[in-house]
Amino acid sequence: MSPTMFKLSLPFAVLALAACGQGGDDASLSASETGAPASATSAGSSSTANLWRGGEAVPLDVQVAHPSGAVLQLTSIQSRPTETVVAMRVINGREREISLNRFNSNRNGYIVVDSGERLYLSAPAGNPRLAVPAGQTMEGELVFLGRLPTANSAILILNENGQTDSEHTNTPAFRITLPLSGAGAATAPAAPAPAAS
């Protein structure tokens, strides 16, 4: 199997998804094609003193398995002047495609910190539903709008109202605790979100 690389340029970050499997074309989208604002302050002009952990990418060791056969591995988190980036790997053990951003809604995925503040997902234009083909593994970065505030804990939520306990769902819901105060140390696996009422 040879990896296929998709590159999608976002306003301030590049989302690179590597799919292990067959097929796929290289694609590159400019910021204007993503619908992002044309003007923004330079990351270099912002002080890193106001960023969580000084703006460094902090390693994570979090893995969550969904009953549907999807596995999420979070490998790092970084606060930038205008966004928060979570590096991840998704393994789709199903025989059907899965979607981590059901209905292509930026309100279905977000990070909520202990103060209640939410940072909403900025889905890539080339794969807004965050679809992962059957039997494939994809790696990349999830970009959330706004810098990560100072907090001891946060929760990453994907497919907020999706199913958390069904082995048959194509839109698995995840609710993963991000260990901000001890980020970098190995953590116990987090559980999927409780079923929506």
Side-chain angles (χ1 to χ4, degrees):
M1 271 189 249
S2 63
T4 303
M5 183 68 74
F6 299 92
K7 293 183 182 177
L8 307 170
S9 297
L10 295 178
F12 303 102
V14 175
L15 174 72
L17 295 177
C20 298
Q22 301 176 1
D25 298 318
D26 287 349
S28 179
L29 299 175
S30 68
S32 62
E33 292 172 308
T34 65
S39 64
T41 59
S42 163
S45 67
S46 298
S47 170
T48 59
N50 295 331
L51 299 177
W52 177 77
R53 296 280 178 101
E56 292 183 26
V58 177
L60 295 176
D61 183 14
V62 177
Q63 176 173 297
V64 179
H66 191 278
S68 67
V71 177
L72 228 61
Q73 297 173 337
L74 306 183
T75 58
S76 72
I77 184 168
Q78 180 181 26
S79 181
R80 297 177 183 168
T82 58
E83 65 203 12
T84 298
V85 177
V86 177
M88 59 167 237
R89 180 178 301 114
V90 184
I91 304 163
N92 181 2
R94 293 179 54 81
E95 293 180 0
R96 296 174 62 185
E97 179 180 271
I98 62 168
S99 170
L100 298 178
N101 190 30
R102 182 170 100 150
F103 306 127
N104 180 23
S105 168
N106 64 355
R107 300 292 186 195
N108 279 326
Y110 56 89
I111 294 173
V112 60
V113 296
D114 48 18
S115 67
E117 182 177 349
R118 292 183 179 191
L119 306 176
Y120 289 100
L121 176 67
S122 176
N127 187 3
R129 291 180 47 249
L130 299 178
V132 182
Q136 303 271 331
T137 295
M138 299 183 88
E139 295 184 32
E141 295 178 331
L142 292 178
V143 177
F144 297 86
L145 302 175
R147 69 174 178 252
L148 186 66
T150 301
N152 291 321
S153 65
I155 299 172
L156 168 65
I157 296 173
L158 295 174
N159 277 336
E160 180 180 29
N161 296 315
Q163 296 184 11
T164 59
D165 55 359
S166 171
E167 61 186 60
H168 304 292
T169 184
N170 293 329
T171 55
F174 288 92
R175 183 182 180 96
I176 305 170
T177 300
L178 301 173
L180 301 184
S181 61
T187 60
S197 19

